[in-house]
Amino acid sequence: QDYYGKELQKSEDLKTNTCITSACHLPKVVRDALERVHEEVVARYYGCGLVVPECLSSCRILDLGSGSGRDCFVLSQLVGEQGHVTGIDMTEGQVRHRSGAPPHPPSSPPTSFPSSCQVEVAKKHIAYHMDKFGYPKPNVEFFHGYMEKLGDAGLDDESYDIVISNCVINLAPDKRAVLQEAFRVLKPGGEMYFSDIYASQRLSETVRKHRVLWGECLAGALYWRDLYSIAEEVGFSSPCLVTASPITIGNKELEGIVGDCRFVSATFRLFKVPGGSRARPGQVIYNGGIMGHEQELVFDANFTFK
């Protein structure tokens, strides 16, 4: 809470390269959506991957660790007026602006931003984005709460089509509880599509207790093999790896503390498959019907449907 709510005020305040999305090709629809997001929201963005699955029209989406709301406002455009996006984040502050607050005039955007926590930044820009997207009422909301206890924020069983998360599960001490809660709130057939940091080995107590390494998404990184066992324990299908890329820390002092452990940023997709349906092999033919993916659909690192 302290590190992301107070100490970090913009992405340039990060002390490593970990929570910075590497350059990658984005579909045009996503690039266009990003361009319409308020500059303060983008400036306070910390993430390690792209968390925009396909076919989102009218979906209900939950963003775990939504921060300043960048991904939520992108997804808000992709689900459309009939869809809905909920963001939940553990940082909290005095929320002075509500969804009815006047938006910043487009002609005079601020060049610097006052100190405020992530949830506050997200909430105060709801009206700005709804006006920019042409929506008569908000299709996005933000809550203060914990990924491990979504029920405390009033999130019901089987209420979301998709759960996303961008480089924050590493910040939760109890990863199993996070995946269990995501499984609970997903509808049958729903998907958890998330990016996070993974370690090549289980981390030492010295690393795990290092405040800056924890805040920079390294000390809490899950040993990658443990993701598979935890996902199976809570009921998800076997994780499908979408993308992975090595992490460079870019800080000699912190590299010395970490030692020979290596880290990767990886995106996985997990499915809440109804019981009894994970059965036989089958043939799939893709007809090109998903907007932005007419020529091919990259399902994960192993399967691309032409």
Side-chain angles (χ1 to χ4, degrees):
Q1 286 181 319
D2 184 63
Y3 202 70
Y4 283 86
K6 301 174 185 176
E7 190 161 330
L8 298 181
Q9 293 300 320
K10 55 187 182 303
S11 56
E12 287 80 5
D13 295 335
L14 292 163
K15 297 171 180 63
T16 71
N17 298 328
T18 307
C19 297
I20 301 173
T21 306
S22 57
C24 61
H25 173 72
L26 300 177
K28 185 178 186 302
V29 64
V30 177
R31 294 199 306 272
D32 292 346
L34 272 170
E35 288 178 0
R36 289 188 285 268
V37 176
H38 192 282
E39 63 175 297
E40 182 181 9
V41 171
V42 174
R44 295 174 187 266
Y45 165 77
Y46 318 112
C48 64
L50 176 67
V51 284
V52 184
E54 312 80 19
C55 229
L56 299 180
S57 179
S58 300
C59 283
R60 287 181 55 83
I61 300 179
L62 171 64
D63 183 359
L64 303 178
S66 52
S68 63
R70 192 204 76 158
D71 290 347
C72 288
F73 290 125
V74 168
L75 293 165
S76 166
Q77 301 170 70
L78 301 181
V79 299
E81 289 184 59
Q82 302 308 311
H84 189 271
V85 182
T86 301
I88 187 165
D89 199 89
M90 67 178 178
T91 60
E92 187 179 28
Q94 182 182 0
V95 182
R96 295 185 297 273
H97 305 268
R98 298 295 178 179
S99 58
H104 289 291
S107 58
S108 56
T111 55
S112 62
F113 307 106
S115 175
S116 55
C117 80
Q118 295 285 74
V119 173
E120 182 180 346
V121 171
K123 284 186 174 183
K124 78 177 182 179
H125 289 305
I126 291 177
Y128 168 88
H129 289 98
M130 296 306 104
D131 179 65
K132 198 167 188 69
F133 306 160
Y135 294 167
K137 61 181 182 178
N139 71 341
V140 60
E141 61 183 343
F142 296 98
F143 292 105
H144 171 259
Y146 295 89
M147 300 180 288
E148 304 97 324
K149 298 179 180 180
L150 297 177
D152 290 354
L155 306 189
D156 296 329
D157 294 358
E158 300 184 356
S159 52
Y160 290 94
D161 301 293
I162 298 166
V163 172
I164 70 161
S165 176
N166 197 335
C167 202
V168 292
I169 294 177
N170 62 79
L171 299 173
D174 190 346
K175 274 73 167 171
R176 189 186 189 282
V178 175
L179 266 65
Q180 183 70 67
E181 278 291 86
F183 187 86
R184 178 183 69 80
V185 301
L186 276 172
K187 299 175 184 178
E191 173 181 8
M192 183 174 182
Y193 188 96
F194 67 108
S195 294
D196 210 53
I197 305 297
Y198 297 91
S200 63
Q201 61 194 49
R202 293 188 179 94
L203 300 168
S204 69
E205 197 68 14
T206 301
V207 172
R208 287 176 54 78
K209 288 184 175 180
H210 195 283
R211 179 179 178 277
V212 173
L213 284 173
W214 191 281
E216 295 281 324
C217 304
L218 296 171
L222 193 65
Y223 173 45
W224 68 272
R225 288 183 182 272
D226 289 343
L227 172 66
Y228 287 78
S229 57
I230 294 172
E232 184 177 351
E233 285 172 16
V234 303
F236 280 113
S237 60
S238 182
C240 299
L241 176 65
V242 181
T243 61
S245 57
I247 289 294
T248 59
I249 297 176
N251 183 309
K252 290 295 183 184
E253 179 185 351
L254 298 179
E255 286 171 358
I257 297 171
V258 165
D260 61 357
C261 182
R262 297 294 176 261
F263 298 89
V264 296
S265 164
T267 299
F268 284 95
R269 55 197 324 167
L270 312 177
F271 291 92
K272 183 175 180 176
V273 181
S277 17
R278 311 176 190 177
R280 304 165 301 281
Q283 184 181 50
V284 174
I285 297 174
Y286 175 53
N287 292 321
I290 298 177
M291 185 174 66
H293 304 271
E294 292 82 4
Q295 300 305 312
E296 66 178 21
L297 174 64
V298 180
F299 180 77
D300 62 15
N302 294 314
F303 296 102
T304 295
F305 298 103
K306 299 293 184 182

